[in-house]
């Protein structure tokens, strides 16, 4: 049996190339903005957000690796850096002597709160405010299809992509409150 | 005057988080597939594609940097690696003594042709074939909006995102030919 390649037709190729280039340029731009505004790479920002949303502002290192789709060694390295800045401290798991927890400190929460407005402004400027409400819905639906495929059915990642009340310091005040 | 943060509402936050996570997982997955199938990081693949589509299979190093949105030092490093593999050779610009050209070799074109079917299959599996024709159009339109914003109006990048006849070795045979 031979492997027959189904090449991309013109529309598919256009969609793929446009999407690939746009997402890469967007990622680069958001990273540059966050570094300029808060001297913080996106990886750090994301870890601080995850910890700020967790009960007791605490997560296992292994959970951070899973939720950021990162190798454990990369998380260990990042958490070491955050510990040096005084934004995170590490503690032994009470119920698992080999396990480590990462805990967001008050200084870490303050750093996140200082960075959040500039990051949100950047996400608005380069993504959200460029799109119509229809396009925003389409983008969410398309992304959900990809996510379901890449991670299996909606599951324990749901809390990472949906709004949640205890994320209000990042979601911010809304007009209807 | 104070800086008033327009926080993301629930729909905006959901779209942003879903999109951000989906694109990162997709990028990681395509990279892993390409490394497994062809032992080639996406950066190398992209450079080979750009060269394969250029007249005389030749581009200035500065053009490669612009079109891949990369720092010149990163391109120099990647082209050195590709040169070691025998896939690219460097030549002086005839009309600019300080400039360097990168030229795709026959071996480089062969490596690209060998990698292309697996890469296209991967792009199909994890993106294209998951979406309806409507969603594919929506994704292309949304991506074009982002691209116009991030690069200025459509211009010399058009040839990177649209289909072109001399890219047929990658676009592949179509049913209507």
């Amino acid at each position: 049996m031979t492997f027959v390649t189904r090449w991309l037709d013109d529309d598919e190729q256009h969609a793929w190339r446009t999407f690939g280039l746009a997402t890469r340029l967007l990622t680069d731009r958001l990273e540059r903005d966050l570094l300029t505004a808060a001297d913080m790479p996106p990886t750090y920002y994301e870890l601080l957000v995850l910890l700020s949303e967790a009960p007791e502002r605490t997560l296992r290192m292994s959970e951070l690796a899973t939720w950021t789709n990162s190798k454990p060694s990369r998380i260990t390295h990042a958490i070491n850096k955050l510990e040096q800045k005084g934004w995170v401290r590490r503690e032994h798991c009470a119920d698992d002597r080999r396990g480590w927890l990462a805990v967001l400190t008050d200084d870490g929460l303050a750093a996140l709160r200082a960075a959040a407005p500039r990051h949100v402004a950047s996400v608005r400027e380069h993504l959200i405010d460029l799109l119509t409400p229809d396009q925003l819905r389409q983008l969410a639906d398309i992304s959900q299809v990809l996510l379901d495929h890449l991670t299996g059915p909606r599951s324990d990642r749901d809390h990472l992509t949906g709004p949640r009340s205890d994320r209000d310091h990042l979601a911010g005040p809304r007009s209807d409150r």
Side-chain angles (χ1 to χ4, degrees), chain A residues 116-117 120 124 164-165 167-177:
Chain A
V120 169
R124 276 209 174 282
R164 224 175 45 166
S165 59
R167 189 150 70 208
D168 280 353
H169 67 281
L170 288 176
R174 289 180 310 203
S175 52
D176 60 351
R177 282 187 210 144

Side-chain angles (χ1 to χ4, degrees), chain A residues 106-120:
Chain A
D106 289 344
D107 281 358
L109 188 58
L112 177 60
R113 284 187 167 144
R118 310 303 289 264
H119 182 55
V120 169

Side-chain angles (χ1 to χ4, degrees), chain A residues 14-15 21 24 44 65 86 97 109 141 172-173 176:
Chain A
H14 172 69
L21 189 56
R24 205 182 54 213
Y44 293 6
R97 285 184 52 202
L109 188 58
D141 290 347
D176 60 351

